[in-house]
């Protein structure tokens, strides 16, 4: 039996929440928006040929694991990250050894097998982050999941299924943990790096699957869903866009609000009041995403009152894409 004196705190999103809670365990008190912003978490991806649960993959944030890695590197915090392929025995032993050493461990998992999760949240999504901080007398793992209140536990077999779940992306038993924290942290430099990296990540991809271009790719395809898909398929595709936006972590609109909160904090820390204006602009963009989700949901539910068309949804997405492009191009001009 092993247990760490770990302080759990609920957050809006899993990876930025795990990152924040791990940092606090080592005496670094940082807000989740700061972790998300320094980690350059704001992004967009739409890959039509990669199917997740039978529908095209859409994501509103950077690839799982990049927020943690980017933040650690920006603050010069040492860490380890491991994957184990299909070797479940090796993956479990590595986790147990770390817990025996008193080290809380971040894990990538598949939500479907997390038995402590409410039934409504358990579906095939293999990029959920959580923290294991010990085992109890029954041999169950003690879990801090930042998207839920309180602490939880899970049987070893269920955690193994979750850590080695099949489907895109495969967690492959991925774990990560902090190994050393420097005495001095240059928070201002880290914030500047985070903003500049996020600008580059979002605006630089040359193909229409990633970054700003991906929003327009989705908008173009969405307009033609009724022509190329059955009615049921079209509704499923739109429904998945909404679910990825509003139910996975903080969702599309939520990630935008999180970044807006980061810029508000950054304005104070860096002494750059102009960043507050960008915070307000990003909040408005988050509102636009939520309005899009509301309109898309009406199509899914076949509401006849004030019903928008697929073409209308496409126009809304194009407009959001233009707004986000202008936002980052203007942010790039700020003298940080």
């Amino acid at each position: 039996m092993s247990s760490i004196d770990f302080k759990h705190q609920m957050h809006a999103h899993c990876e930025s929440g795990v990152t924040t809670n791990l940092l606090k365990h080592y005496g670094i008190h940082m807000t989740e928006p700061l972790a998300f912003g320094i980690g350059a978490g704001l992004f967009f991806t739409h890959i039509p040929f990669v199917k997740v649960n039978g529908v095209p993959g859409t994501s509103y944030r950077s690839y799982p694991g990049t927020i943690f890695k980017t933040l650690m590197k920006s603050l010069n915090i040492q860490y380890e990250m491991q994957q184990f392929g299909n070797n479940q025995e090796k993956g479990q032993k590595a986790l147990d050894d770390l817990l025996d050493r008193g080290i809380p461990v971040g894990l990538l998992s598949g939500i479907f097998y997390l038995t402590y999760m409410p039934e409504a949240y358990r579906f095939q999504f293999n990029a959920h982050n959580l923290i294991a901080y010990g085992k109890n007398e029954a041999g169950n793992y003690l879990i801090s999941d930042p998207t839920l209140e309180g602490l939880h536990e899970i049987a070893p077999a269920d955690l193994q299924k979750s850590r080695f779940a099949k489907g895109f992306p495969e967690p492959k038993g991925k774990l990560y943990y902090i190994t050393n924290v420097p005495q001095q942290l240059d928070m201002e430099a880290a914030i500047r790096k985070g903003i500049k990296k996020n600008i580059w990540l979002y605006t630089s991809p040359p193909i229409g699957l990633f970054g700003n271009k991906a929003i327009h790719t989705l908008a173009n395809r969405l307009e033609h869903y009724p022509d190329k898909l059955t009615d049921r398929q079209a509704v499923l595709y739109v429904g998945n866009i909404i679910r990825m936006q509003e139910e996975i972590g903080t969702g599309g609109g939520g990630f935008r609000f999180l970044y807006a909160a980061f810029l508000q904090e950054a304005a104070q820390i860096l002494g750059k009041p102009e960043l507050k204006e960008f915070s307000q602009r990003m909040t408005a963009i988050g509102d636009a995403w939520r309005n899009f989700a509301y309109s898309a949901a009406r199509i899914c539910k076949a509401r006849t009152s004030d019903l928008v068309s697929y073409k209308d949804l496409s126009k809304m997405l194009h407009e959001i894409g233009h707004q986000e492009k202008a936002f980052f191009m203007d942010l790039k001009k700020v003298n940080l």
Side-chain angles (χ1 to χ4, degrees):
M1 182 180 69
S2 59
S3 181
I4 300 164
D5 183 18
F6 189 83
K7 300 296 188 293
H8 171 80
Q9 184 172 345
M10 186 177 180
H11 293 284
H13 170 61
C14 64
E15 186 177 345
S16 51
V18 163
T19 301
T20 303
N21 284 342
L22 285 176
L23 288 172
K24 286 182 178 179
H25 181 75
Y26 291 97
I28 303 172
H29 294 278
M30 177 184 297
T31 65
E32 183 181 10
L34 273 179
F36 184 80
I38 294 173
L42 197 69
F43 200 59
F44 191 84
T45 305
H46 180 69
I47 311 179
F49 51 84
V50 175
K51 298 295 194 294
V52 180
N53 297 326
V55 293
T58 303
S59 175
Y60 296 77
R61 49 145 295 175
S62 58
Y63 194 77
T66 57
I67 292 174
F68 177 83
K69 288 192 291 186
T70 300
L71 183 143
M72 294 296 130
K73 291 177 180 178
S74 294
L75 289 172
N76 295 315
I77 298 172
Q78 295 178 18
Y79 69 95
E80 291 288 340
M81 188 172 284
Q82 302 174 41
Q83 283 186 303
F84 304 92
N86 293 318
N87 195 332
Q88 295 191 27
E89 183 177 350
K90 185 177 180 181
Q92 183 171 8
K93 185 178 186 306
L95 174 60
D96 288 346
D97 288 346
L98 289 167
L99 294 178
D100 286 341
R101 290 162 52 193
I103 299 173
V105 184
L107 301 175
L108 195 64
S109 65
I111 288 181
F112 184 79
Y113 298 105
L114 297 178
T115 51
Y116 62 80
M117 275 279 183
E119 192 71 29
Y121 295 143
R122 292 176 60 190
F123 57 94
Q124 295 291 348
F125 177 70
N126 293 342
H128 184 65
N129 293 266
L130 51 89
I131 296 171
Y133 67 95
K135 298 177 81 171
N136 62 17
E137 293 180 355
N140 292 333
Y141 287 96
L142 304 175
I143 301 296
S144 166
D145 191 316
T147 63
L148 299 175
E149 292 186 35
L151 296 166
H152 301 272
E153 64 179 78
I154 186 171
D158 292 322
L159 184 60
Q160 284 293 86
K161 289 178 184 177
S162 178
R163 293 182 63 202
F164 291 89
K166 299 301 181 182
F168 181 83
E170 290 190 19
K172 298 180 180 179
K174 183 176 181 177
L175 60 77
Y176 52 96
Y177 55 97
I178 293 172
T179 59
N180 186 58
V181 178
Q183 291 185 347
Q184 297 292 329
L185 298 176
D186 193 339
M187 195 66 67
E188 292 186 15
I191 290 172
R192 292 188 180 96
K193 287 179 184 178
I195 292 175
K196 291 176 180 178
K197 181 166 185 175
N198 217 147
I199 292 170
W200 180 82
L201 284 173
Y202 185 84
T203 60
S204 66
I207 58 176
L209 304 178
F210 309 101
N212 182 256
K213 290 184 176 68
I215 296 178
H216 298 291
T217 297
L218 174 58
N220 291 333
R221 296 181 68 88
L222 191 154
E223 180 177 357
H224 299 290
Y225 278 177
D227 305 322
K228 298 185 177 182
L229 304 171
T230 65
D231 290 345
R232 175 174 170 75
Q233 284 178 318
V235 168
L236 286 174
Y237 279 27
V238 172
N240 186 67
I241 295 169
I242 301 170
R243 183 171 70 167
M244 294 304 294
Q245 177 179 328
E246 299 300 330
E247 294 183 14
I248 305 300
T250 52
F255 283 127
R256 273 59 189 170
F257 295 135
L258 201 56
Y259 199 76
F262 159 67
L263 290 174
Q264 190 170 29
E265 290 192 52
Q268 184 174 358
I269 294 171
L270 298 180
K272 293 285 182 179
E274 58 266 45
L275 291 179
K276 291 183 180 179
E277 298 178 9
F278 284 93
S279 175
Q280 293 171 354
R281 283 177 62 178
M282 184 52 71
T283 298
I285 291 171
D287 288 336
W289 275 112
R290 288 280 161 87
N291 290 336
F292 164 79
Y294 171 79
S295 297
R298 296 189 71 81
I299 281 185
C300 293
K301 295 179 180 179
R303 302 295 192 205
T304 57
S305 173
D306 200 27
L307 186 65
V308 299
S309 66
Y310 284 87
K311 188 172 183 178
D312 293 330
L313 290 180
S314 175
K315 288 180 179 178
M316 292 175 72
L317 276 184
H318 278 304
E319 178 56 30
I320 290 172
H322 294 318
Q323 289 179 25
E324 292 202 350
K325 177 69 175 292
F327 170 88
F328 278 108
M329 297 309 293
D330 290 344
L331 185 59
K332 189 176 182 179
K333 299 173 186 176
V334 176
N335 182 18
L336 295 173

